[in-house]
Amino acid sequence: MLKEIHFLEDLQHEPCYTKEDKKVIMNDWEEVMRPLKRQRGMNWYNRLGPLVVCFSLNMKAYSIKYYPEYSVHNLYREFPCLTATLRVHGRGICPNNHNERYVDEARFIKEKAYIPIEGDLDIDQIIWGYEKFFEDTKEKRYEGNITEFEDMVWICGWTKMPEKIEYALKITYDRLKAHDWWFHFLSSENGQYVDGGYDKWFKKLEESAWNGNQLNTIFETELKKHKLEKIPERNILF
């Protein structure tokens, strides 16, 4: 816990975090987020099958506030860095209230996390987490959820259980089919998906979901690329 409050040199009334404070804060959060292992600065991880559960502190030396954040990355996604899906944003914490707030903020994030940070989980719990996220964000712009739909389908593909794969594909089809125009926009403007709009995107997703061998090859490559082989591992039960 912080024993002294520091202030900006040019603004003596404005408390700030120093490099020494940063070490103290990391140790404090290490205790309350113990199921996760710290790696790469102010990031903590563990892995649930191909899902990497991440907790991070967004903070710079001499900043006046830091922000805790929870997110998930799917190692079935070929990507140069870890994505941050299923996000839960914590509230900003200032130096003068770190000691009294960080434990409560950790509890808040754990309670809101779409994929719990500890323990083995049943595949239905994971699917429920994605469905809860879709429900929570349904009033927002749907295109921000495309990544989460893909991840849900791929995690069901990982089980190789036909009923789970078909269920995830049906949810995706029913929720996104009406937004075909957006997929054409992505194809023509952003180059994220192949030309052909929603139908071609969905067909490609469907094919990948049933190709467990390809998914496992991607997983092994991405696990090594991101150097996550030694983070704590949990089990998905099915």
Side-chain angles (χ1 to χ4, degrees), residues 44-163:
W44 287 259
Y45 305 98
N46 66 27
R47 181 167 63 82
L48 191 63
L51 297 180
V52 179
V53 175
C54 174
F55 170 76
S56 60
L57 298 177
N58 184 2
M59 173 188 178
K60 297 180 181 178
Y62 296 99
S63 61
I64 62 174
K65 189 177 293 187
Y66 73 84
Y67 297 85
E69 181 179 289
Y70 160 97
S71 62
V72 174
H73 174 76
N74 193 336
L75 290 171
Y76 282 153
R77 181 174 300 281
E78 296 178 282
F79 209 69
C81 62
L82 297 183
T83 56
T85 66
L86 303 180
R87 282 184 173 183
V88 175
H89 297 280
R91 294 158 291 191
I93 300 179
C94 300
N96 52 359
N97 60 21
H98 163 79
N99 290 348
E100 64 188 48
R101 282 195 51 204
Y102 80 93
V103 173
D104 288 339
E105 204 64 26
R107 186 180 299 114
F108 168 81
I109 288 175
K110 289 178 181 179
E111 290 174 353
K112 294 293 184 181
Y114 293 100
I115 307 295
I117 71 168
E118 59 185 318
D120 296 340
L121 297 180
D122 187 272
I123 183 62
D124 289 332
Q125 291 176 273
I126 295 175
I127 295 173
W128 181 89
Y130 280 98
E131 291 188 275
K132 178 68 165 58
F133 174 82
F134 300 144
E135 184 65 22
D136 289 348
T137 58
K138 67 181 180 180
E139 302 300 328
K140 300 179 181 179
R141 292 168 62 87
Y142 61 86
E143 58 266 23
N145 299 347
I146 291 174
T147 299
E148 283 82 1
F149 279 106
E150 291 176 333
D151 287 347
M152 179 186 64
V153 169
W154 287 332
I155 194 67
C156 289
W158 179 78
T159 69
K160 297 183 180 179
M161 298 174 67
E163 65 274 21

Side-chain angles (χ1 to χ4, degrees), residues 2 16-26 29 42 56-68 93 95 98:
L2 294 178
C16 69
Y17 291 109
T18 66
K19 290 182 179 179
E20 290 72 26
D21 293 338
K22 184 177 179 180
K23 296 177 182 178
V24 173
I25 289 167
M26 284 194 295
W29 281 95
M42 304 186 82
S56 60
L57 298 177
N58 184 2
M59 173 188 178
K60 297 180 181 178
Y62 296 99
S63 61
I64 62 174
K65 189 177 293 187
Y66 73 84
Y67 297 85
I93 300 179
H98 163 79

Side-chain angles (χ1 to χ4, degrees), residues 186-200:
L186 288 175
S187 298
S188 60
E189 299 293 332
N190 298 15
Q192 282 186 264
Y193 301 105
V194 293
D195 289 335
Y198 175 83
D199 289 334
K200 198 161 187 178

